[in-house]
Amino acid sequence: MTDYVFAPPAISSVAVEGEQARFPVRRIFCVGRNYAAHVREMGKDPDREPPFFFTKPADAVVDSGAVVPYPPETSNFHYEIELVVAIDREGFDLAPADALNYVFGYGVGIDLTRRDLQFEARDKGRPWDWGKAFDLSAPIAPLRRVSAVSHLSAGRIWLAVNESLKQDADLKELVWSVPEIISILSRSMVLRPGDLIMTGTPAGVGAIVANDKVTGGIDGLGKIEITIGSARAAS
Ligand code: MN
């Protein structure tokens, strides 16, 4: 047994629908610009350029129902509703036709974004981390096993702020499908159990502020709900 100089951090995890046991999170990969209408609203050209990825730390996950404090150093804090894919097998250089065999299940997630910091980084050619990879930036609703929901390639995906509908699209509009995303990602990394993939957001992103209630869902999969809290006080 390895000794540590202090107690190691707890393993981050996501709930699994209807089960006591939770899904342990290893890494969170996110796909950029994967719905054409969202690519356009970000000021880019939605031709089918290869997908690119960014990451969030595993401990950015937070359960549905949480209060997420308004994060520091932003005045343009955005929601992005996304389909989340959960991986439970090790795989490398997978063919698209084989990729779905590595999926544990699916969930509804929100890629919370400090848009002002993301755009500043983007425009200066710097990493996106400060815009995307901050504390509590990955709310994810309970995962549902493939055996419960089968594989999702279509279905309404939506998000509302204080009951006002902001994002409303269909998984059919994904530029790169789930099998393609898994296949392409697995050429760059050995995928491992516990990896999550946030598959990109449709059009309609926008700002949220303290006390906003953010709800969203994917037909046939489930719903997510978070409340934005006040900024965290110094400690
Ligand atoms: Mn996103």
Side-chain angles (χ1 to χ4, degrees):
M1 210 175 104
T2 308
D3 282 330
Y4 297 100
V5 294
F6 55 85
I11 294 173
S12 298
S13 63
V14 176
V16 178
E17 183 69 40
E19 300 184 33
Q20 203 73 44
R22 294 172 64 89
F23 180 93
V25 178
R26 175 178 164 81
R27 296 175 292 193
I28 307 172
F29 299 101
C30 305
V31 183
R33 298 180 202 141
N34 205 23
Y35 291 80
H38 174 64
V39 177
R40 282 190 286 269
E41 77 179 350
M42 291 290 103
K44 297 293 176 184
D45 187 12
D47 53 3
R48 203 167 185 259
E49 61 175 347
F52 67 92
F53 298 89
F54 57 91
T55 61
K56 292 174 184 273
D59 67 0
V61 292
V62 52
D63 285 341
S64 182
V67 175
V68 175
Y70 195 91
E73 304 210 298
T74 184
S75 54
N76 196 16
F77 181 40
H78 277 209
Y79 54 81
E80 297 189 352
I81 191 75
E82 309 206 358
L83 171 68
V84 180
V85 180
I87 301 291
D88 68 350
R89 283 176 65 194
E90 182 172 315
F92 177 67
D93 199 15
L94 304 172
D98 188 31
L100 294 181
N101 294 321
Y102 293 75
V103 176
F104 167 84
Y106 298 92
V108 182
I110 305 175
D111 169 13
L112 291 172
T113 301
R114 296 191 285 203
R115 191 73 69 200
D116 39 5
L117 300 190
Q118 182 205 7
F119 278 177
E120 183 184 5
R122 184 185 80 177
D123 296 344
K124 290 181 174 172
R126 293 176 179 166
W128 282 19
D129 304 47
W130 259 223
K132 290 289 195 177
F134 51 95
D135 293 339
L136 307 181
S137 58
I140 297 177
L143 301 175
R144 299 195 66 190
R145 287 177 180 265
V146 165
S147 54
V149 293
S150 192
H151 290 288
L152 298 169
S153 56
R156 183 178 179 230
I157 178 170
W158 61 274
L159 179 140
V161 179
N162 303 325
E163 322 248 309
S164 166
L165 191 63
K166 303 292 186 185
Q167 295 187 279
D168 193 4
D170 195 287
L171 296 178
K172 282 185 291 197
E173 298 165 44
L174 280 167
V175 174
W176 294 91
S177 69
V178 170
E180 288 171 330
I181 291 166
I182 294 170
S183 172
I184 293 166
L185 182 56
S186 76
R187 291 182 213 153
S188 286
M189 305 270 176
V190 178
L191 292 180
R192 296 189 191 280
D195 287 341
L196 297 175
I197 307 169
M198 304 187 77
T199 55
T201 200
V205 300
I208 38 181
V209 297
N211 300 316
D212 278 346
K213 190 173 131 190
V214 182
T215 52
I218 296 173
D219 281 3
L221 182 56
K223 286 186 185 169
I224 190 168
E225 175 185 322
I226 58 168
T227 303
I228 308 306
S230 303
R232 180 180 173 152
S235 58

